[in-house]
Each structure stands twice: as C-alpha cells, then as structure tokens.
Amino acid sequence: MTRPSIATLREWDRSHYWHSFTPMADYEPLIIERGEGCTLYDIRGNAYLDAASSMWCAALGHNHPRLNAAISAQLGRLAHCTSLGMGAEVTVRLAKRLADLAPGELSHVFFSSDGSSAVEVAMKQALQYWCQSDTPQPERVKYLSFGQAYHGDTIGATAVGGIGRFNDLYAPLLCEVVRVEPPDSRQVGSEPSDAQRCVDAALQRVERVLEEQASQIVAVIIEPLVQMAAGMLMHPPGFLRGVRRLCDKYNVLLIADEIAVGLGRTGRLFACDHEGVTPDFLCLGKHLTAGYLPLAATITTPRIFQAFLNRTPAEDRTFWHGHTYSGNALASAAALATLEEFEAHVLAALPAKIEQIAQRLSALADHPLVTHIRQRGMIGAFSLGASASVGTDGSTGKTENADQAPGRRLARYALEQGVWLRAKPDLIYVTPPLTISADQIDRLFDVIAAGLEFASAG
Ligand SMILES: Cc1ncc(COP(=O)(O)O)c(C=O)c1O
C-alpha cells in the first residue's frame, strides 16, 4: 500500500481527526509514524524525546521487545473474549498478579478500558456497597475530592474533578461533590515544621467536612501524592496517611486514583506504598500496559466484594456494570509483561534516575524565570515567571496571551530541538518513560536550560 504524501496526511489530520484536549482551530499537525525506546519519529523522520511518556503512559518507551513478544504470543492464542460470565486465562493470571502486588487486602480486580472508567467503577461500587451493607445507607450520595483534582472525563469522573474548564459546562449532569483544598508543597516555607503545618491545616479542612457530612458521603477520592493535571501539585508527606486515618475515623471509603501516579511513576510500585496506606479502592491505568493497549483496573477489598454476593436466590446484589473490552486478553498480556519488566529491571534502576533528575532540576534554581521546583520520583516540575503563583491552573492555559507565555515558548523551542514537552503557559514538567537513560536525562535538561534562555529573551 502506498502511503499518502505528507501534505495529504496533514490535510486529513486537520480535516478529520478531532484530537483530545486540543484547541482544534490552532492545531498544527504532528504526525508520528513510529517509536523506538524513548523516541518518537514523525512522518518527516524528525526524532522527539517523549518527555511526557505520551501523557504519562509509555512507561517502557516505545517498541519494547518484551511487550512486543508478549502481545504477539497472545495474539496467536486469543485476542479477546468477553468478561461476562467467563474470562481469558491470561486475564485470570493478571488479576492474581495485581492482587499479589497491591497493598494490604486489595484483592478483587475489576477491569475496564481506560482510567476514567476505572474511577467510574470505583464510584459506583462504593455507592452500591453502602446500599448493600448490613446497615444500608442509601443516603450516601456525595463524594469528597481535592481542589483541582482530575479523575477523567466520563460523567462521574468529571463530577469529582475540579478543573473548571473541564467541568463547568456539564454541571447539570454532575453528582454532588464536596471539594476541599489540598495541601500544596508550593505553599510550604523553609522551616522544617512548615510542611507539617500545611498538612495539618488541610486535614482539618477534611475533618470539618467529615464531621458534618460523613453520613452522606460515599467516598473520599484522592490522587495520592501528586495531582498531576492540577499543575503537578504535590502534597507534602503525611497527607495521604492522614486522609486514610480520617476516612477510618468517620467511616468513609477511600478511593486512591493511581492512574497517573501508580506503577513506578513516583519511584515505588504504588504511590500509596510511600505512606503505608491501603485504600478501599485502587484505580490503575496508563502504566498498566505501559501505554500499549487500553486497560485499567479497579482493585478492592474482600469487605467490599462480599457485599456484592447474593446470599439467597432472591437477592440481587450484582454489580451490573461492564465494558465490551473489560479484561481484554491482548491488553492483559501486555500488562503482565509490563509488570515482569518492572520487577526484572525498571524499579531497581529508578533511584539513580530520580537523583539525576533532582540534580538537574536544582541546577535550574537560579534562573530568574524558575520558581517552585518540585519533584516526586520520576515527576519533575517547576513553575515559570510571575504568573507562577500558587493556585494557577497549570493544566488549562488560563494565562493571558497564553501562546506567548514562557512555558509555551520553551516547549516550542524544545520541539525544534527534538524534545516533546506538553506545553503549559507557566509550568514545565518532565514525566519521561521510566526507561530513560542517563544521557537522555542530560539531553532533556540541556534543552530545557537552553529553552529557558530562549523563553526569557522573548
Ligand atoms: C489521575 C487521573 N485519573 C484518571 C485519568 C483518566 O484516565 P483516562 O484518560 O485513561 O480515561 C487520568 C488521565 O490523565 C488521570 O491523570
């Protein structure tokens, strides 16, 4: 088959491909033909270091031999079978593996195809749990979420999100959510006790809500440690543990949305591991198949699962929810191979990379444009310029004349130099594949450093 010309592909892209989270009036086609390791190649043959891991999912880079082999082998056996009343052998093995790895008692895995659906599943299971618990509590219909949370784009997940640009228009469709401001590492001063004070104040805000409303609240939903879409907002240590403690005290369920921060991104397999926390629901996606195939998981405890079992033939406690591709066999094979690769090579190599990123970030501290350098594992970020005030929505581009904002200028410069950064007006972040090499980390930060000069010259 002859490939259409570059000009034709660009024209088709503009005319027919409606891209996610993209202002289409300004869309400038960037058409990727192939990937190799941490590098993407466009149809012109230009190479780009994938510094955002294709939006936080390509944990092992691209065209990874172990993943390719696992998917090919599975393809020769079974691509897909339904999860309604049956399931693929490879998916059974994946469920067992996830149950073994997940913190604490988390042991029952419900599969879906994307992170939003995994959140939706947790929200619905939690609500149904209260309706079916020994003392039914159908009056629990609200959720508690944090500030500018992002949990996905289906209607339930949108409701618990807090980024106005993504939510406001759909308000009539959304369930009731109580929003509490999270602690923000950018607000922490230099005194050693400041972080604790910041965490304590946020926990008090949570407790005030729970004191009054716990009996109406289904669950607290949290992005553990880092609210990535909120502009790489990082919680100081202790917040997650404190939230778990309050959920226990007020008998509210805890949903940990680790779709972005889970499976190695923070330096450990699960973000909850940093604080010894077991949530009632753990949502995974993105890294689960290293971005190869759509798969997400909602993992819960025996206590929740038991409430869904019919005790008499007349009862109907079933979770009437599912997706055509739930537990897809090819995706399950990709996930098992990803977990094997994490354990064999990836996790052990992370500390050195995290340290290198820390050093390269701190070397930027003196630049006049740079403020609020922050890092959690393989997530490194800093704010840019005067507009980098706390509370700025780093994910939505609300800055005046955003196109000329320093972050956008820096990202354009980086693209010319062969580094793909997701452009934000007042935020630069790196979330590279976990397999990034030391040389690639250096190149990434060399380009960012030069990009800062470019952005300040404008
Ligand atoms: C924390 C978090 N939750 C949920 C989602 C939604 O996942 P998906 O885009 O796979 O639906 C995302 C996506 O970025 C996310 O970052």
Side-chain angles (χ1 to χ4, degrees):
M1 192 179 72
T2 52
R3 201 182 74 180
S5 69
I6 288 175
T8 303
L9 281 168
R10 289 171 62 82
E11 163 55 21
W12 287 354
D13 189 3
R14 275 212 188 85
S15 304
H16 302 297
Y17 187 174
W18 190 341
H19 291 258
S20 315
F21 282 105
T22 300
M24 290 306 292
D26 315 324
Y27 174 62
E28 191 48 45
L30 176 57
I31 307 177
I32 302 301
E33 184 171 55
R34 66 190 179 87
E36 191 63 51
C38 299
T39 307
L40 293 167
Y41 296 87
D42 73 10
I43 48 174
R44 295 191 163 109
N46 296 316
Y48 305 98
L49 183 63
D50 187 1
S53 300
S54 291
M55 293 322 290
W56 319 330
C57 64
L60 305 178
H62 304 275
N63 210 358
H64 192 281
R66 186 174 209 143
L67 283 167
N68 292 0
I71 294 167
S72 300
Q74 183 60 40
L75 196 52
R77 290 195 284 270
L78 176 72
H80 179 68
C81 72
T82 183
S83 65
L84 279 63
M86 63 156 82
E89 178 264 353
V90 65
T91 311
V92 174
R93 284 193 282 125
L94 175 61
K96 166 70 174 143
R97 194 76 203 106
L98 286 171
D100 287 346
L101 292 170
E105 285 201 293
L106 292 166
S107 50
H108 296 274
V109 187
F110 193 98
F111 291 105
S112 49
S113 321
D114 53 69
S116 307
S117 303
V119 166
E120 210 79 25
V121 166
M123 291 175 70
K124 287 176 74 175
Q125 286 183 344
L127 183 139
Q128 191 170 339
Y129 166 80
W130 288 117
C131 293
Q132 296 176 178
S133 71
D134 289 340
T135 43
Q137 299 176 46
E139 60 286 355
R140 290 191 188 246
V141 290
K142 298 185 201 173
Y143 297 82
L144 186 156
S145 72
F146 292 104
Q148 295 189 331
Y150 180 72
H151 297 290
D153 296 329
T154 51
I155 292 300
T158 299
V160 285
I163 297 176
R165 175 178 276 197
F166 304 165
N167 289 36
D168 292 350
L169 212 59
Y170 312 108
L173 306 180
L174 307 179
C175 66
E176 203 177 331
V177 172
V178 190
R179 253 171 268 284
V180 173
E181 274 315 300
D184 181 340
S185 66
R186 291 172 293 183
Q187 291 168 328
V188 172
S190 51
E191 293 298 315
S193 56
D194 283 348
Q196 191 58 50
R197 253 202 301 276
C198 180
V199 165
D200 289 346
L203 289 174
Q204 277 165 19
R205 294 193 285 275
V206 176
E207 183 152 21
R208 271 200 294 276
V209 172
L210 293 181
E211 264 167 4
E212 287 175 11
Q213 304 186 47
S215 63
Q216 302 154 49
I217 291 179
V218 176
V220 171
I221 179 163
I222 188 168
E223 296 158 88
L225 311 187
V226 187
Q227 297 186 219
M228 292 178 61
M232 297 302 162
L233 185 153
M234 302 195 182
H235 303 156
F239 183 60
L240 178 63
R241 199 180 313 116
V243 168
R244 173 73 272 184
R245 184 176 48 74
L246 291 175
C247 286
D248 290 341
K249 180 171 171 189
Y250 291 93
N251 194 23
V252 167
L253 298 171
L254 179 63
I255 302 171
D257 173 353
E258 293 215 15
I259 287 150
V261 294
L263 298 169
R265 177 56 63 195
T266 65
R268 300 182 72 163
L269 194 57
F270 300 107
C272 282
D273 291 342
H274 289 271
E275 306 215 349
V277 160
T278 303
D280 299 290
F281 298 90
L282 177 68
C283 301
L284 301 174
K286 294 190 185 271
H287 278 196
L288 185 54
T289 64
Y292 260 59
L293 287 161
L295 185 72
T298 307
I299 315 179
T300 191
T301 60
R303 168 191 166 203
I304 303 292
F305 181 73
Q306 292 295 326
F308 288 75
L309 302 180
N310 294 335
R311 297 170 203 173
T312 66
E315 268 189 337
D316 185 2
R317 296 168 160 264
T318 304
F319 185 50
W320 292 114
H321 179 112
H323 303 276
T324 301
Y325 293 108
S326 293
N328 175 266
L330 288 178
S332 299
L336 274 173
T338 301
L339 294 172
E340 279 165 18
E341 186 65 15
F342 276 7
E343 287 174 283
H345 304 293
V346 176
L347 293 175
L350 289 182
K353 299 179 195 205
I354 291 167
E355 178 55 31
Q356 189 186 355
I357 291 172
Q359 283 174 11
R360 294 300 311 245
L361 273 173
S362 68
L364 302 174
D366 290 338
H367 195 281
L369 267 184
V370 174
T371 53
H372 300 303
I373 290 178
R374 49 203 186 271
Q375 183 186 10
R376 211 24 137 132
M378 294 295 282
I379 307 165
F382 57 88
S383 304
L384 281 167
S387 66
S389 57
V390 172
T392 297
D393 177 2
S395 68
T396 63
K398 280 180 185 163
T399 311
E400 299 273 320
N401 194 12
D403 204 43
Q404 285 312 311
R408 289 272 159 79
R409 287 170 53 77
L410 196 158
R412 278 199 297 274
Y413 172 86
L415 195 66
E416 281 168 19
Q417 303 302 312
V419 170
W420 189 77
L421 298 167
R422 173 90 176 132
K424 302 288 170 211
D426 60 2
L427 171 74
I428 294 295
Y429 70 80
V430 297
T431 49
L434 306 184
T435 48
I436 192 169
S437 69
D439 285 350
Q440 285 169 323
I441 293 174
D442 276 337
R443 192 164 86 73
L444 172 54
F445 279 95
D446 289 347
V447 169
I448 288 174
L452 279 168
E453 299 312 320
F454 176 85
S456 6

